[in-house]
Amino acid sequence: MNILLTGVAGQLGQELLPLLAQFGNVTTVDRNVDSAISPKRLKLDLSDLNRVEILLNRQRPDLVVNAAAYTAVDKAENDSEPAFRMNADLPGCIARWTERNGGFLFHFSTDYVFDGQKGQPYRETDETGPINVYGESKLAGEWAIAASKCRFVVLRTSWVYSAHGSNFVMSMLRLARERSELSIVSDQTGCPTWARNLASASVKVIDRLLKYKTDSKNDGLYHYCDSTITTWYEFARSIFSTASGLGLLDEIPRMLPLKSSQYPQIAQRPGFSVLDTAAIRDTFAVESMGLNASLAACLQEIEDDK
Ligand SMILES: NC(=O)c1ccc[n+]([C@@H]2O[C@H](COP(=O)([O-])OP(=O)(O)OC[C@H]3O[C@@H](n4cnc5c(N)ncnc54)[C@H](OP(=O)(O)O)[C@@H]3O)[C@@H](O)[C@H]2O)c1
C-alpha cells in the first residue's frame, strides 16, 4: 500500500511515521527537508495546491494521512488566508482527489470547532460554533472533506503535547526555568493529549478500516483525546511536579491562577472543550489514556533527549 504522510515534522507527524510503516510504503512531505535525502522524503509547500495535485497524481497514494496544519491559533486571527488555505483548501483538495481516484483520507481536526458553552463533553453530533479563526478554518476543512464524498476519517483532538515542537509542556518547562512566578489561565477546561497516544489511536483505527476495506459504514468523524479533564493551571501544576520528580526542574515556580479575560491573548479560546470519546471506543475499541503516565513518559523523553 502507498501511504502519503504530510506534516511529518510536526508533533503528531513525528509520532505517526514509525507506526505507519506496518501498513506499507510511507512517503512523507514537509517543506524544510532537502529532497535529495531520499525519494521517500519529499519537499513541498502544501499551500501550493497545484503542486499538491501533481504530487498526488504522481504518488497515487492508497492512504493519505494529513497531519499538516496551520496550528498557530493566535497568529491565525490576523493571517486568515494562509490558515484557511492549509486547514480548509488543502484537505478539500486531497479529499476531492481521493474521491476521484479511490483510496482513503485520514485527517485531524480540533476541539476549537466548539464555542465552549456546553459544559459537558462534546459529541461528534453536537453543534459547532468556532470562536476563533483557527477553529473556523479547521471546521471548513471538515466540511470540505465531507462534501467531497470520499472515504475518510476525521479525528478531532485537543491540547496536543509532545517532547518536540512548541506546545504547552515545552513552554511551561522553559518559563519555569526563567521565572520564579507564573500566572496561568485557570478557567479553560479541556483534555491534554499526548501526540503518541493520538498516533496510536489513529493507527488502531486505520488497522480496523483496512481489515474491512470495502465497508464504509464506520467512515466519518470521531473524537479522540486523552481521558484526564483539567485546566491549563492544573495541567501546569502536573507538569511542574512530574518534571521536578524527574530532576528536570530545580525549583517549582509560584503559580497564580488567571482568568482568560486577564490574559492578553489575540484569539479567544473556548472555556470548556472536553471531547466525548465514546464513539471511537465503541466503534474501534480505542481507549483513552490518562494524563499522569503519558506526561511522565513525555517528560522522560525530554530528559533523555537533553
Ligand atoms: N497542537 C494542538 O494542540 C492541536 C489541538 C487540536 C487539534 N490539533 C490538530 O492536530 C493535527 C496535528 O497537529 P500538531 O500539533 O502535530 O501540529 P504541528 O506540530 O504544528 O505540525 C504541523 C505540521 O504541518 C506542517 N505545515 C504547516 N504548513 C505547511 C505548509 N505550508 N507546507 C508543508 N507543511 C506545512 C508543519 O511544518 P513546519 O514544521 O515546516 O512548520 C508541521 O510539520 C492538526 O490537524 C491540528 O490542527 C492540534
Side-chain angles (χ1 to χ4, degrees), residues 10-12 31-32 45-46 68-69 71 108-109 134 138 157 160:
Q11 299 190 82
L12 175 60
R31 56 182 162 179
N32 295 318
D45 182 339
L46 291 161
T71 54
F108 299 89
S109 189
Y134 167 74
K138 293 294 292 184
T157 189
V160 178

Side-chain angles (χ1 to χ4, degrees), residues 63 101 107 136 209-210 231 247 274 285:
L63 169 68
N101 294 279
H107 176 75
E136 285 169 3
L209 288 167
L210 292 178
T231 63
V274 175

Side-chain angles (χ1 to χ4, degrees), residues 3 16 25 38 46 57 73 84 96 127 195 202 246 255 285 296:
I3 302 164
L16 281 168
N25 290 319
S38 147
L46 291 161
N57 283 327
V73 176
F84 270 83
R96 287 187 295 278
E127 197 180 328
S202 307
L246 287 170
M255 294 173 60

Side-chain angles (χ1 to χ4, degrees), residues 20 87 113 121 217 246 252 268-269 274:
L20 286 174
N87 293 345
V113 297
K217 80 170 189 311
L246 287 170
I252 295 184
Q268 264 197 82
R269 267 87 169 160
V274 175

Side-chain angles (χ1 to χ4, degrees), residues 13-297:
Q14 286 191 41
E15 300 292 347
L16 281 168
L17 179 60
L19 301 181
L20 286 174
Q22 65 185 289
F23 301 118
N25 290 319
V26 184
T27 304
T28 64
V29 186
D30 69 271
R31 56 182 162 179
N32 295 318
V33 75
D34 176 358
S35 21
I37 290 176
S38 147
K40 289 178 128 196
R41 287 192 68 183
L42 306 175
K43 179 174 180 165
L44 183 62
D45 182 339
L46 291 161
S47 60
D48 183 342
L49 299 185
N50 289 329
R51 293 190 61 204
V52 169
E53 186 102 24
I54 291 168
L55 171 77
L56 291 168
N57 283 327
R58 205 176 53 214
Q59 294 291 323
R60 307 207 71 76
D62 305 297
L63 169 68
V64 180
V65 181
N66 182 33
Y70 184 112
T71 54
V73 176
D74 287 309
K75 195 167 169 229
E77 291 298 300
N78 298 310
D79 197 29
S80 64
E81 208 262 308
F84 270 83
R85 180 116 35 87
M86 277 304 290
N87 293 345
D89 301 344
L90 171 68
C93 167
I94 300 171
R96 287 187 295 278
W97 185 91
T98 303
E99 203 283 322
R100 285 195 306 273
N101 294 279
F104 203 93
L105 170 58
F106 204 93
H107 176 75
F108 299 89
S109 189
T110 174
D111 54 333
Y112 284 7
V113 297
F114 295 115
D115 66 9
Q117 298 296 314
K118 187 182 175 194
Q120 284 177 34
Y122 283 98
R123 295 202 183 132
E124 289 81 352
T125 47
D126 280 327
E127 197 180 328
T128 51
I131 56 173
N132 57 42
V133 169
Y134 167 74
E136 285 169 3
S137 69
K138 293 294 292 184
L139 183 60
E142 293 182 9
W143 287 345
I145 292 170
S148 78
K149 306 262 188 277
C150 75
R151 299 274 322 264
F152 73 91
V153 159
V154 173
L155 275 197
R156 287 187 187 137
T157 189
S158 63
W159 296 25
V160 178
Y161 65 92
S162 80
H164 318 279
S166 57
N167 58 63
F168 188 75
V169 172
M170 300 299 266
S171 301
M172 285 301 115
L173 282 181
R174 177 176 47 78
L175 289 170
R177 290 182 187 123
E178 291 170 3
R179 303 186 196 168
S180 56
E181 187 174 281
L182 287 177
S183 297
I184 299 161
V185 169
S186 60
D187 61 357
Q188 290 170 24
T189 299
C191 294
T193 301
W194 189 22
R196 188 160 303 164
N197 294 340
L198 175 61
S200 321
S202 307
V203 163
K204 277 186 197 150
V205 173
I206 291 170
D207 188 46
R208 284 285 185 107
L209 288 167
L210 292 178
K211 281 200 176 109
Y212 306 102
K213 228 181 196 162
T214 51
D215 185 354
S216 59
K217 80 170 189 311
N218 293 328
D219 293 7
L221 175 65
Y222 293 90
H223 290 170
Y224 177 84
C225 58
D226 286 345
S227 60
T228 305
I229 299 175
T230 188
T231 63
W232 292 116
Y233 181 85
E234 290 301 333
F235 184 24
R237 192 200 292 284
S238 303
I239 294 166
F240 296 148
S241 64
T242 313
S244 163
L246 287 170
L248 280 168
L249 273 185
D250 295 334
E251 269 181 59
I252 295 184
R254 200 160 87 85
M255 294 173 60
L256 304 173
L258 198 68
K259 285 197 166 39
S260 305
S261 56
Q262 299 170 296
Y263 185 63
Q265 273 184 317
I266 300 165
Q268 264 197 82
R269 267 87 169 160
F272 182 95
S273 62
V274 175
L275 300 173
D276 184 320
T277 56
I280 197 168
R281 187 185 60 234
D282 296 347
T283 311
F284 297 106
V286 170
E287 293 290 344
S288 285
M289 308 298 284
L291 176 66
N292 289 345
S294 303
L295 179 60

